[in-house]
Amino acid sequence: MLSTLIKKWRGERPSIFILSGAGLSVESGIPTYRGAGSDAKNDSPSLSKGYMRSIPEKVFEASNRRIRDFDACKPNSAHLAIAQFVRAYRLKADIIHVTQNIDSLCEEAGDTSVFHLHGALNQSLCQKCGATFPRKGFYKIGNQCPKCKAKFTAVRPDVVLFGETPHGLDWILPYLDEVDIFIAVGTSGTVYPAADFVKMATAAGAPIRILVNKEAPIASGFGYPMMDEESHSFNVVRLGNATSVLPMVLKEVGKLIDNIH
Ligand code: NAD
């Protein structure tokens, strides 16, 4: 029972932080980084800052492959459950959803709170003027920035390439100090800085830290060895598929919000 872990909110309203990863989109047909048939793993070496400078075609080709894969997928019931939770509780709670995913299935599900830590392939960035704008078509040399009209290799996917800094850390890290309920879903805790978020929230006193994942945290995940379960940062672990477990967890969290004033 979540109510045994908390009696009142730390601020005036509950602060909820949802961190999602590749596992959230698996049941929509997008494999995890390490999963079988993963284009993410094959394409990763191409998605680097170095290639963007020296052989941008490699970044564009890898991005276009992933865009084609993503376009064939639809949001699943876990994406929809987050969107529904945000709609139902945004007036009663501060809810932030930070995803590590570069697909846009959360937006397609109607999630208005989602922020892409690693950017999103449906968003483009002009390297010349810094403008960001919705992607039109596929990436190629010669696409033009709608703002400054730069061409050649100016327009690139607005995703965080290897060697670049994730988005939003300036406001995400302070927000973690205030969190009442931290929910991680479909993430292995092996990719930093996201893997550190639950530790930061724990250190700052977040009373409820829930993990929804197919597998238990692995040895290198979230910085803790699994043999020492007491010390890993989650105090509620619900193992299973995101589509079946997450809707139930969000219902439970919703009830808690309704019952604590
Ligand atoms: P990860 O691949 O390291 O871990 C995914 C986790 O999801 C694993 O622990 C796995 O057990 C779990 N999982 C698998 N199927 C699940 C399901 N049906 N329900 C619940 N959990 C499930 O992913 P990560 O931690 O997000 O880090 C990998 C990096 O690669 C991130 O930057 C990620 O965003 C990126 N990536 C993104 C996509 C995407 O945009 N959809 C896909 C692959 C990789």
Side-chain angles (χ1 to χ4, degrees):
M1 284 284 282
L2 299 183
S3 55
T4 58
L5 298 170
I6 189 167
K7 294 285 168 250
K8 62 183 182 64
W9 308 119
R10 300 165 78 195
E12 285 180 7
R13 285 152 59 85
S15 292
I16 321 280
F17 187 94
I18 303 172
L19 172 69
S20 64
L24 179 67
S25 296
V26 163
E27 290 162 271
S28 290
I30 303 175
T32 64
Y33 186 74
R34 287 155 199 86
S38 171
D39 273 349
K41 192 170 189 178
N42 299 335
D43 285 334
S44 282
S46 307
L47 291 170
S48 77
K49 190 177 166 184
Y51 274 131
M52 193 60 232
R53 260 196 310 253
S54 56
I55 322 176
E57 292 92 329
K58 269 191 174 282
V59 175
F60 294 161
E61 277 163 23
S63 300
N64 291 339
R65 236 185 333 268
R66 305 223 68 209
I67 287 165
R68 283 192 192 93
D69 290 348
F70 292 176
D71 277 354
C73 298
K74 295 266 169 289
N76 63 47
S77 54
H79 297 107
L80 292 167
I82 298 176
Q84 155 69 22
F85 175 77
V86 171
R87 254 196 314 276
Y89 288 99
R90 71 184 156 199
L91 297 180
K92 291 185 174 175
D94 295 321
I95 307 169
I96 287 183
H97 174 195
V98 171
T99 187
Q100 298 165 83
N101 294 346
I102 58 174
D103 67 54
S104 295
L105 294 177
C106 292
E107 286 88 342
E108 282 181 41
D111 179 351
T112 51
S113 73
V114 68
F115 178 82
H116 289 267
L117 185 70
H118 299 156
L121 276 175
N122 274 346
Q123 191 76 356
S124 299
L125 164 73
C126 174
Q127 302 194 93
K128 184 120 187 275
C129 72
T132 55
F133 41 92
R135 171 182 66 81
K136 272 197 186 151
F138 291 103
Y139 290 101
K140 59 180 187 316
I141 306 256
N143 283 355
Q144 189 173 43
C145 169
K147 194 166 173 220
C148 75
K149 309 295 178 204
K151 277 190 176 176
F152 193 48
T153 61
V155 177
R156 56 164 274 190
D158 187 18
V159 292
V160 175
L161 301 172
F162 283 94
E164 296 179 334
T165 308
H167 299 325
L169 295 178
D170 55 331
W171 62 264
I172 291 172
L173 302 184
Y175 189 86
L176 291 170
D177 284 346
E178 315 290 329
V179 167
D180 294 291
I181 305 179
F182 184 106
I183 305 167
V185 53
T187 178
S188 62
T190 51
V191 177
Y192 288 84
D196 274 336
F197 290 173
V198 69
K199 282 184 269 171
M200 291 176 192
T202 306
I208 301 181
R209 288 110 42 203
I210 306 169
L211 175 68
V212 174
N213 209 50
K214 192 163 179 129
E215 304 151 335
I218 56 173
S220 56
F222 297 109
Y224 292 100
M226 233 353 244
M227 54 281 283
D228 182 11
E229 283 197 41
E230 286 299 300
S231 72
H232 81 66
S233 292
F234 295 100
N235 50 4
V236 179
V237 176
R238 302 277 167 83
L239 299 182
N241 284 333
T243 54
S244 41
V245 180
L246 188 67
M248 290 191 293
V249 165
L250 291 178
K251 238 183 221 156
E252 237 181 291
V253 171
K255 270 194 197 142
L256 191 67
I257 296 174
D258 289 335
N259 291 333
I260 300 183
H261 299 288

